Structure formats: structure tokens, C-alpha cells
């Protein structure tokens, strides 16, 4: 696991973008998992600024959403699918069919999860997983205590994660879903390369915990990256607790 510290969140986005484009150009039909959240917003903003030629090259990728809420009566505008449609697909001129995602409203989440694993496998496995990190160390929606070999499936959200996502539901915690469907820790670890983005002061405790861990523990899911052969933590100085 390697740390790469940039001056600002924009620099982290540019670093991530360069790494994504490297993967895009290194294979005919790569598979890449993308996160939702505040952290990757600058990445998608930078993607919107790419030339049309480079944007066209993104059509060759099998894009996968990392996770999704699970909530029967969710407004589409609050879903991670909508987030990635509006902030990623639209800005790089890709059609909705370019992104595989998990259904927020499925009646059969276990069937949905199994089918997702099959789609990832059919795509040849993930070449790259782009991640954020939760305040409790979660990756995807794999909360502390999730088995390290877990595959795509349903997770109950902690209060901390629900609070961190309430902005997607008009800051109304009562409307914020209590469960989610996410690629598992094992699914993420199967990616050939992983980049985890962390920016801003709010991530200082999470990054400090990650830095202090010597071994993998389910209590802090991101620690699993210690065991990955090609994992990169892209932080800005603020997330490292350094003066900016
Ligand atoms: P954030 O979420 O980018 O909105 O901080 C990250 C995460 O929960 O994985």
C-alpha cells in the first residue's frame, strides 16, 4: 500500500484521473468500479473537462458502480445511480447503458448481488477499483465487522454512515436509508489495482487510523488494502493533517 500526498483535492482528482486513464489505455475493454460521495466530485469535474477524444475512449470501459442504497421508496434523484448518471455519465457523453449498477429498489437483493458478481466476472474481473473511505474506515458500504472475504451483498448502515449521507436526502436522517447493497470487501480486493481517495480535514481520523494499523482488521475495513499488491492511497495534505 503506497501513499501519494497532493497539495489539494483538485490535485488528488488529477492524480486519480491520470491513473484511471492509464488503465483505460492499457486494455481493450477494462472494467473499472467507481464510487459515489463528496470525495470523488472533483474527479468527475475533471473528467468533464477532458477532450472529446479522451471522453470517447471511456466508452470502451465496463463501468461498475461500487455500491447503492437499498430502499424501496427512494427518490431516483437520491440514488447513487442518479449521482453517477448526472456527475459522470452525462459529463463524459456516455449513455446510461455504459454503467452497470445495483438496483436500490430490488425485491431480491441476494439475486441482484449474485448477478452483479457474475457481471463483474464476465467483464474479466475489475482492472481498477476507485474508492472513498468512510469516517469509520468503510470501503464501499462495508461497515466495520464485515467479513474480509465478503462478496457483493446487503449491509446495514451505521448511524455514522447514514449521517454522512443524509445530504442526499435533504439532510433528513429519517429519510436516509438504513441499508445498502455493495461490492464486498473480497470483491474489491479482487480488483487488480485499487486507488482510495481521501481529501479534507474530516478524513484526518480515518487516515490517521489507516496509517497506524500494522495489520488487517475487520474493525477497520480499509486496512485490508495493506494486503493488496497494488493499492494506492491518494490524499491531500488536509486529510493527512498537514498544514495547507
Ligand atoms: P464521502 O464518502 O466521499 O462522501 O466522504 C466516502 C465513503 O463513505 O466511502
Amino acid at each position: 500500500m503506497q501513499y501519494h500526498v497532493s497539495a489539494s483535492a483538485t490535485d488528488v482528482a488529477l492524480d486519480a484521473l491520470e491513473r484511471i486513464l492509464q488503465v483505460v489505455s492499457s486494455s481493450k475493454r477494462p472494467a473499472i468500479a467507481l464510487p459515489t460521495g463528496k470525495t470523488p466530485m472533483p474527479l468527475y469535474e475533471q473528467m468533464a473537462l477532458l477532450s472529446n477524444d479522451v471522453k470517447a475512449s471511456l466508452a470502451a470501459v465496463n463501468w461498475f458502480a461500487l455500491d447503492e442504497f437499498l430502499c424501496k421508496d427512494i427518490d431516483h434523484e437520491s440514488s447513487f445511480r442518479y449521482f453517477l448518471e448526472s456527475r459522470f455519465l452525462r459529463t463524459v457523453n456516455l449513455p446510461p447503458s455504459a454503467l452497470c449498477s445495483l438496483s436500490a429498489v430490488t425485491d431480491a437483493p441476494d439475486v441482484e448481488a449474485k448477478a452483479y458478481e457474475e457481471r463483474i466476472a464476465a467483464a474479466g474481473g475489475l482492472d481498477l477499483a476507485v474508492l472513498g473511505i468512510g469516517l469509520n474506515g468503510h470501503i464501499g458500504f462495508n461497515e466495520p465487522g464485515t467479513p474480509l472475504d465478503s462478496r457483493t451483498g446487503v449491509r446495514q448502515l451505521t448511524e455514522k454512515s447514514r449521517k454522512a449521507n443524509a445530504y442526499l436526502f435533504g439532510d433528513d436522517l429519517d429519510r436516509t436509508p438504513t441499508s445498502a447493497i455493495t461490492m464486498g470487501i473480497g470483491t474489491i480486493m479482487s480488483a487488480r489495482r485499487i486507488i482510495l481517495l481521501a481529501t479534507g480535514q474530516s478524513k484526518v481520523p480515518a487516515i490517521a487510523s489507516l496509517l497506524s494499523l500494522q495489520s488487517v482488521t475487520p474493525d477497520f475495513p480499509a486496512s485490508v488494502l495493506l494486503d493488496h499488491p497494488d493499492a494506492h492511497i491518494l490524499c491531500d495534505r488536509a486529510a493527512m493533517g498537514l498544514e495547507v
Side-chain angles (χ1 to χ4, degrees), residues 36-40 132-134 138 140 167 203:
T36 302
K38 291 179 178 165
T39 313
I133 183 169
H138 75 200
Y167 71 98
K203 300 290 162 144

Side-chain angles (χ1 to χ4, degrees), residues 203-237:
K203 300 290 162 144
V204 168
I207 294 301
S209 299
L210 190 56
L211 277 165
S212 70
L213 286 166
Q214 306 293 321
S215 60
V216 174
T217 165
D219 295 341
F220 196 83
S223 66
V224 78
L225 301 184
L226 284 165
D227 277 354
H228 193 281
D230 197 358
H232 303 268
I233 314 297
L234 277 45
C235 294
D236 65 359
R237 288 179 59 84

Side-chain angles (χ1 to χ4, degrees), residues 33-94:
L34 290 179
T36 302
K38 291 179 178 165
T39 313
M41 286 183 189
L43 168 63
Y44 300 132
E45 283 161 20
Q46 290 302 321
M47 280 184 163
L49 303 177
L50 291 169
S51 71
N52 284 337
D53 280 358
V54 179
K55 285 182 183 175
S57 72
L58 303 180
V61 178
N62 258 314
W63 298 101
F64 286 89
L66 187 65
D67 50 9
E68 180 58 276
F69 294 112
L70 202 50
C71 179
K72 280 272 186 314
D73 54 1
I74 194 170
D75 291 335
H76 182 58
E77 288 71 21
S78 298
S79 70
F80 281 5
R81 169 84 208 180
Y82 177 80
F83 182 104
L84 287 170
E85 277 176 1
S86 54
R87 292 179 186 269
F88 166 61
L89 290 178
R90 238 172 261 164
T91 58
V92 294
N93 311 327
L94 288 176

Side-chain angles (χ1 to χ4, degrees), residues 29-33 62-64 100 112-127 151-152 183 186-188 190-192:
R29 186 122 178 91
I32 300 179
N62 258 314
W63 298 101
F64 286 89
C100 296
E112 176 81 8
K114 190 163 176 284
Y116 209 54
E117 286 285 332
E118 285 164 5
R119 286 175 90 171
I120 295 168
L126 295 172
D127 293 284
R151 307 304 299 193
T152 302
M183 285 187 192
T187 318
I188 292 168
S190 299
R192 286 180 272 283

